PDB file of all heavy atoms in Angstrom:
ATOM      1  N   ALA A 716      24.958   9.954  12.188  1.00 91.00           N
ATOM      2  CA  ALA A 716      23.547  10.208  11.885  1.00 91.00           C
ATOM      3  C   ALA A 716      23.156   9.595  10.546  1.00 91.00           C
ATOM      4  O   ALA A 716      22.080   8.994  10.404  1.00 91.00           O
ATOM      5  CB  ALA A 716      23.285  11.716  11.880  1.00 91.00           C
ATOM      6  N   ALA A 717      24.033   9.752   9.553  1.00 88.00           N
ATOM      7  CA  ALA A 717      23.760   9.180   8.230  1.00 88.00           C
ATOM      8  C   ALA A 717      23.646   7.665   8.302  1.00 88.00           C
ATOM      9  O   ALA A 717      22.763   7.064   7.675  1.00 88.00           O
ATOM     10  CB  ALA A 717      24.863   9.585   7.259  1.00 88.00           C
ATOM     11  N   HIS A 718      24.517   7.039   9.080  1.00 86.00           N
ATOM     12  CA  HIS A 718      24.478   5.585   9.227  1.00 86.00           C
ATOM     13  C   HIS A 718      23.194   5.148   9.932  1.00 86.00           C
ATOM     14  O   HIS A 718      22.542   4.176   9.528  1.00 86.00           O
ATOM     15  CB  HIS A 718      25.699   5.113  10.015  1.00 86.00           C
ATOM     16  CG  HIS A 718      25.733   3.624  10.229  1.00 86.00           C
ATOM     17  ND1 HIS A 718      26.019   2.737   9.222  1.00 86.00           N
ATOM     18  CD2 HIS A 718      25.485   2.881  11.353  1.00 86.00           C
ATOM     19  CE1 HIS A 718      25.954   1.495   9.689  1.00 86.00           C
ATOM     20  NE2 HIS A 718      25.632   1.559  10.981  1.00 86.00           N
ATOM     21  N   ALA A 719      22.824   5.865  10.977  1.00 89.00           N
ATOM     22  CA  ALA A 719      21.618   5.506  11.733  1.00 89.00           C
ATOM     23  C   ALA A 719      20.359   5.642  10.881  1.00 89.00           C
ATOM     24  O   ALA A 719      19.407   4.857  11.011  1.00 89.00           O
ATOM     25  CB  ALA A 719      21.516   6.388  12.975  1.00 89.00           C
ATOM     26  N   LEU A 720      20.365   6.628   9.994  1.00 87.00           N
ATOM     27  CA  LEU A 720      19.190   6.866   9.144  1.00 87.00           C
ATOM     28  C   LEU A 720      19.247   6.081   7.824  1.00 87.00           C
ATOM     29  O   LEU A 720      18.336   6.195   7.002  1.00 87.00           O
ATOM     30  CB  LEU A 720      19.080   8.356   8.829  1.00 87.00           C
ATOM     31  CG  LEU A 720      18.766   9.275  10.026  1.00 87.00           C
ATOM     32  CD1 LEU A 720      18.908  10.732   9.626  1.00 87.00           C
ATOM     33  CD2 LEU A 720      17.355   8.987  10.541  1.00 87.00           C
ATOM     34  N   ASN A 721      20.341   5.305   7.620  1.00 83.00           N
ATOM     35  CA  ASN A 721      20.523   4.554   6.366  1.00 83.00           C
ATOM     36  C   ASN A 721      20.486   5.492   5.165  1.00 83.00           C
ATOM     37  O   ASN A 721      19.863   5.211   4.145  1.00 83.00           O
ATOM     38  CB  ASN A 721      19.462   3.462   6.220  1.00 83.00           C
ATOM     39  CG  ASN A 721      19.848   2.411   5.190  1.00 83.00           C
ATOM     40  OD1 ASN A 721      21.030   2.171   4.950  1.00 83.00           O
ATOM     41  ND2 ASN A 721      18.867   1.800   4.572  1.00 83.00           N
ATOM     42  N   TYR A 722      21.173   6.620   5.295  1.00 80.00           N
ATOM     43  CA  TYR A 722      21.184   7.644   4.257  1.00 80.00           C
ATOM     44  C   TYR A 722      21.980   7.181   3.049  1.00 80.00           C
ATOM     45  O   TYR A 722      23.049   6.573   3.178  1.00 80.00           O
ATOM     46  CB  TYR A 722      21.802   8.928   4.818  1.00 80.00           C
ATOM     47  CG  TYR A 722      22.071   9.985   3.771  1.00 80.00           C
ATOM     48  CD1 TYR A 722      21.032  10.746   3.235  1.00 80.00           C
ATOM     49  CD2 TYR A 722      23.374  10.221   3.321  1.00 80.00           C
ATOM     50  CE1 TYR A 722      21.293  11.717   2.275  1.00 80.00           C
ATOM     51  CE2 TYR A 722      23.622  11.197   2.365  1.00 80.00           C
ATOM     52  CZ  TYR A 722      22.583  11.931   1.850  1.00 80.00           C
ATOM     53  OH  TYR A 722      22.833  12.894   0.897  1.00 80.00           O
ATOM     54  N   ARG A 723      21.469   7.444   1.861  1.00 69.00           N
ATOM     55  CA  ARG A 723      22.166   7.152   0.611  1.00 69.00           C
ATOM     56  C   ARG A 723      22.365   8.439  -0.160  1.00 69.00           C
ATOM     57  O   ARG A 723      21.425   9.229  -0.321  1.00 69.00           O
ATOM     58  CB  ARG A 723      21.353   6.161  -0.255  1.00 69.00           C
ATOM     59  CG  ARG A 723      21.211   4.792   0.378  1.00 69.00           C
ATOM     60  CD  ARG A 723      22.558   4.069   0.382  1.00 69.00           C
ATOM     61  NE  ARG A 723      22.460   2.747   0.977  1.00 69.00           N
ATOM     62  CZ  ARG A 723      22.661   2.462   2.245  1.00 69.00           C
ATOM     63  NH1 ARG A 723      22.967   3.444   3.088  1.00 69.00           N
ATOM     64  NH2 ARG A 723      22.551   1.239   2.701  1.00 69.00           N
ATOM     65  N   LYS A 724      23.592   8.643  -0.649  1.00 64.00           N
ATOM     66  CA  LYS A 724      23.905   9.883  -1.356  1.00 64.00           C
ATOM     67  C   LYS A 724      23.095  10.014  -2.640  1.00 64.00           C
ATOM     68  O   LYS A 724      22.864   9.034  -3.346  1.00 64.00           O
ATOM     69  CB  LYS A 724      25.394   9.928  -1.723  1.00 64.00           C
ATOM     70  CG  LYS A 724      26.330   9.977  -0.536  1.00 64.00           C
ATOM     71  CD  LYS A 724      27.771   9.982  -1.028  1.00 64.00           C
ATOM     72  CE  LYS A 724      28.751   9.934   0.128  1.00 64.00           C
ATOM     73  NZ  LYS A 724      30.153   9.889  -0.359  1.00 64.00           N
ATOM     74  N   ASN A 725      22.703  11.228  -2.944  1.00 56.00           N
ATOM     75  CA  ASN A 725      22.116  11.569  -4.236  1.00 56.00           C
ATOM     76  C   ASN A 725      23.275  11.984  -5.138  1.00 56.00           C
ATOM     77  O   ASN A 725      23.769  13.115  -5.067  1.00 56.00           O
ATOM     78  CB  ASN A 725      21.118  12.713  -4.089  1.00 56.00           C
ATOM     79  CG  ASN A 725      20.423  13.043  -5.397  1.00 56.00           C
ATOM     80  OD1 ASN A 725      20.990  12.894  -6.470  1.00 56.00           O
ATOM     81  ND2 ASN A 725      19.182  13.503  -5.297  1.00 56.00           N
ATOM     82  N   LEU A 726      23.757  11.037  -5.964  1.00 48.00           N
ATOM     83  CA  LEU A 726      24.956  11.292  -6.758  1.00 48.00           C
ATOM     84  C   LEU A 726      24.767  12.429  -7.759  1.00 48.00           C
ATOM     85  O   LEU A 726      25.693  13.168  -8.061  1.00 48.00           O
ATOM     86  CB  LEU A 726      25.383  10.022  -7.479  1.00 48.00           C
ATOM     87  CG  LEU A 726      25.858   8.880  -6.566  1.00 48.00           C
ATOM     88  CD1 LEU A 726      26.234   7.673  -7.399  1.00 48.00           C
ATOM     89  CD2 LEU A 726      27.024   9.318  -5.701  1.00 48.00           C
ATOM     90  N   ALA A 727      23.556  12.542  -8.302  1.00 45.00           N
ATOM     91  CA  ALA A 727      23.315  13.608  -9.274  1.00 45.00           C
ATOM     92  C   ALA A 727      23.463  14.978  -8.612  1.00 45.00           C
ATOM     93  O   ALA A 727      24.095  15.885  -9.140  1.00 45.00           O
ATOM     94  CB  ALA A 727      21.924  13.449  -9.882  1.00 45.00           C
ATOM     95  N   ALA A 728      22.858  15.098  -7.416  1.00 49.00           N
ATOM     96  CA  ALA A 728      22.964  16.369  -6.708  1.00 49.00           C
ATOM     97  C   ALA A 728      24.397  16.634  -6.286  1.00 49.00           C
ATOM     98  O   ALA A 728      24.897  17.764  -6.355  1.00 49.00           O
ATOM     99  CB  ALA A 728      22.042  16.353  -5.487  1.00 49.00           C
ATOM    100  N   GLN A 729      25.081  15.599  -5.838  1.00 50.00           N
ATOM    101  CA  GLN A 729      26.472  15.756  -5.402  1.00 50.00           C
ATOM    102  C   GLN A 729      27.357  16.238  -6.541  1.00 50.00           C
ATOM    103  O   GLN A 729      28.240  17.063  -6.351  1.00 50.00           O
ATOM    104  CB  GLN A 729      27.002  14.434  -4.860  1.00 50.00           C
ATOM    105  CG  GLN A 729      28.419  14.528  -4.343  1.00 50.00           C
ATOM    106  CD  GLN A 729      28.942  13.179  -3.881  1.00 50.00           C
ATOM    107  OE1 GLN A 729      28.178  12.249  -3.702  1.00 50.00           O
ATOM    108  NE2 GLN A 729      30.242  13.097  -3.698  1.00 50.00           N
ATOM    109  N   SER A 730      27.117  15.715  -7.749  1.00 48.00           N
ATOM    110  CA  SER A 730      27.955  16.113  -8.880  1.00 48.00           C
ATOM    111  C   SER A 730      27.744  17.578  -9.245  1.00 48.00           C
ATOM    112  O   SER A 730      28.662  18.261  -9.678  1.00 48.00           O
ATOM    113  CB  SER A 730      27.653  15.226 -10.103  1.00 48.00           C
ATOM    114  OG  SER A 730      26.366  15.494 -10.611  1.00 48.00           O
ATOM    115  N   LEU A 731      26.517  18.095  -9.036  1.00 41.00           N
ATOM    116  CA  LEU A 731      26.255  19.498  -9.309  1.00 41.00           C
ATOM    117  C   LEU A 731      26.994  20.396  -8.319  1.00 41.00           C
ATOM    118  O   LEU A 731      27.475  21.475  -8.658  1.00 41.00           O
ATOM    119  CB  LEU A 731      24.745  19.772  -9.236  1.00 41.00           C
ATOM    120  CG  LEU A 731      23.892  19.176 -10.363  1.00 41.00           C
ATOM    121  CD1 LEU A 731      22.421  19.406 -10.070  1.00 41.00           C
ATOM    122  CD2 LEU A 731      24.274  19.788 -11.695  1.00 41.00           C
ATOM    123  N   ILE A 732      27.099  19.912  -7.077  1.00 45.00           N
ATOM    124  CA  ILE A 732      27.756  20.712  -6.045  1.00 45.00           C
ATOM    125  C   ILE A 732      29.270  20.661  -6.186  1.00 45.00           C
ATOM    126  O   ILE A 732      29.961  21.665  -6.161  1.00 45.00           O
ATOM    127  CB  ILE A 732      27.338  20.208  -4.645  1.00 45.00           C
ATOM    128  CG1 ILE A 732      25.836  20.422  -4.442  1.00 45.00           C
ATOM    129  CG2 ILE A 732      28.123  20.929  -3.552  1.00 45.00           C
ATOM    130  CD1 ILE A 732      25.289  19.757  -3.202  1.00 45.00           C
ATOM    131  N   SER A 733      29.795  19.438  -6.336  1.00 46.00           N
ATOM    132  CA  SER A 733      31.246  19.260  -6.322  1.00 46.00           C
ATOM    133  C   SER A 733      31.891  19.367  -7.696  1.00 46.00           C
ATOM    134  O   SER A 733      33.100  19.526  -7.808  1.00 46.00           O
ATOM    135  CB  SER A 733      31.594  17.879  -5.740  1.00 46.00           C
ATOM    136  OG  SER A 733      31.153  16.848  -6.610  1.00 46.00           O
ATOM    137  N   GLY A 734      31.080  19.268  -8.757  1.00 49.00           N
ATOM    138  CA  GLY A 734      31.630  19.279 -10.106  1.00 49.00           C
ATOM    139  C   GLY A 734      32.181  17.928 -10.520  1.00 49.00           C
ATOM    140  O   GLY A 734      32.799  17.808 -11.574  1.00 49.00           O
ATOM    141  N   LYS A 735      31.965  16.892  -9.700  1.00 60.00           N
ATOM    142  CA  LYS A 735      32.446  15.548  -9.999  1.00 60.00           C
ATOM    143  C   LYS A 735      31.287  14.567 -10.009  1.00 60.00           C
ATOM    144  O   LYS A 735      30.474  14.547  -9.097  1.00 60.00           O
ATOM    145  CB  LYS A 735      33.481  15.108  -8.957  1.00 60.00           C
ATOM    146  CG  LYS A 735      34.755  15.955  -8.954  1.00 60.00           C
ATOM    147  CD  LYS A 735      35.729  15.466  -7.899  1.00 60.00           C
ATOM    148  CE  LYS A 735      36.993  16.316  -7.910  1.00 60.00           C
ATOM    149  NZ  LYS A 735      37.964  15.868  -6.869  1.00 60.00           N
TER     150      LYS A 735
END
Side-chain angles (χ1 to χ4, degrees):
H718 179 73
L720 293 171
N721 197 28
Y722 171 76
R723 295 290 180 268
K724 295 179 184 178
N725 183 329
L726 294 179
Q729 182 183 345
S730 69
L731 290 174
I732 296 170
S733 67
K735 296 180 180 179

